[in-house]
Amino acid sequence: PVPVEGGDGAVYTPLLTHDGQVDVLERLDFVLRNISELRKEVEELRNSLQHLAAEIVGELRSHLEEAQKVTRRRRFPFARERSDSTGSSSIYFTAGSGTANTDDGESEGGYTTANAESDYDRESERESEEGEDEVSCETVRTVRRDSLDLVNEDETHLIYDSSLEEGLGQLLQQADRLHDGDEQEKREGFQLLLNNKLAYADQKDFLWRLARAHSDMCEITEDPDERRSYAADGKEELEIALKKWDQSAECHQWYAILCGQLSERESIQKRIQTGYIFKEHIDKAIELKPEDPKSYYLLGRWCYQVSHLGWLEKKTASALFEAPPTATVQDALQNFLRVEELSPGFSKAGRVYIAKCYRDLGNNSAAVLWMNLASELPVNTKEDAESERELEEMRLVWQE
């Protein structure tokens, strides 16, 4: 207030009316909220910078490990028989080499003993092995020439292709079974596919399953750097595959999933940019394979997240892109219901999302119905476990 008259009888009148004061308070509250959101964004950027060095080290380590694997594969073209579950399940070993080599145990023991020998002994052994390799290669070439003289060239290709296809079919069945198993089986499936990459790297159905196995490892691994490494390696596999098989629904679907996993710890700008890529590949997967419930589930997840973007995320998207992503809760609900049409009980998480959509739309009776339906399904994945916790929270809120 300010006095309008001087002296002891001064009369004070307010600079702002009551409505004006309320308006100022609302504006101050708006500014404070924006400052709080900007503070969160700065914190995210700081965390991104802190992880940048670790990511670079992880990528270098990954490249070095891959180079070492290639070196080992060149030295030992056939897989050794192992006693663990991963090695014994390798289709490439049984199909590619026929009967097992009974000298593996001795060679393994010899290698262990050689580690304790002198540099001169190791060098001599290496030269001896190289000489044996040359003799073995010449023997193989001689046998191959003799066999080709007896078998027609076309028949040789047919026999080889038939054997390769049979081995691939067995491998893919085993990989699918392990993918549907627990965490230990997923790890075995990942190692199984890595062991056979040299033989089937040019096969579409093998490559997208290998990428899927990378996604499984990303999902079950707790270390953030390892998660990112698995997701990046799987995404790289599919980038190569999509150049050759752009009409593969599975390649597009798992590429979208791995992009999403890779952007989990990225900044808001990067996550929004990845969202466009995710949507593009899921739409393509649905176009190529419209009866796959998983693609509709993923699209429903995308729609639900976009419909709940915060103020800062919407402003960032508007500033960086001409057409910000748009989707409604109703869009998400339609996709989740489509999943139930194609595959009833597809996942516990899917039914929980349907309940959340109905809750957001104000249809509480339908929300309760789908909560009960979700409770009937078992917890099969980490996502299902998270949905189970959300289900309990929704029940507690409505009970209050």
Side-chain angles (χ1 to χ4, degrees), residues 179-193:
H179 166 71
D180 293 330
D182 57 23
E183 291 188 1
Q184 180 58 33
E185 289 175 316
K186 290 181 188 295
R187 290 189 176 92
E188 291 179 6
F190 175 70
Q191 191 61 48
L192 170 67
L193 292 170

Side-chain angles (χ1 to χ4, degrees), residues 190 207-219 226-242 250-266 270 274-275 277-278 281-282 294 298:
F190 175 70
L207 277 180
W208 72 256
R209 282 175 170 84
L210 177 59
R212 182 184 66 182
H214 278 87
S215 177
D216 288 341
M217 294 299 296
C218 177
E219 188 69 23
E226 290 186 7
R227 286 171 60 88
R228 181 176 179 82
S229 178
Y230 282 125
D233 290 345
K235 179 172 174 283
E236 183 179 347
E237 295 287 355
L238 284 177
E239 285 174 348
I240 298 173
L242 284 171
E250 290 82 6
C251 286
H252 284 284
Q253 183 185 92
W254 286 101
Y255 185 81
I257 293 172
L258 286 160
C259 284
Q261 291 176 324
L262 194 58
S263 67
E264 287 178 354
R265 301 178 63 85
E266 298 286 357
K270 186 65 175 179
T274 301
I277 299 174
F278 182 95
H281 285 275
I282 288 300
K294 187 175 183 66
L298 294 170

Side-chain angles (χ1 to χ4, degrees), residues 276-294:
Y276 286 95
I277 299 174
F278 182 95
K279 176 69 160 49
E280 175 187 351
H281 285 275
I282 288 300
D283 286 343
K284 185 66 174 180
I286 291 176
E287 176 187 341
L288 294 170
K289 197 173 182 180
E291 302 302 315
D292 187 353
K294 187 175 183 66

Side-chain angles (χ1 to χ4, degrees), residues 329 333 351-373 391 394-395 397-400:
V329 175
L333 178 60
R351 288 186 172 180
V352 172
Y353 268 105
I354 294 177
K356 291 165 64 175
C357 288
Y358 277 122
R359 178 200 61 188
D360 295 346
L361 294 171
N363 191 341
N364 292 337
S365 60
V368 172
L369 171 63
W370 282 98
M371 286 172 60
N372 293 333
L373 291 173
L391 203 58
M394 291 169 65
R395 288 198 183 96
V397 169
W398 270 336
Q399 287 176 0
E400 294 176 356

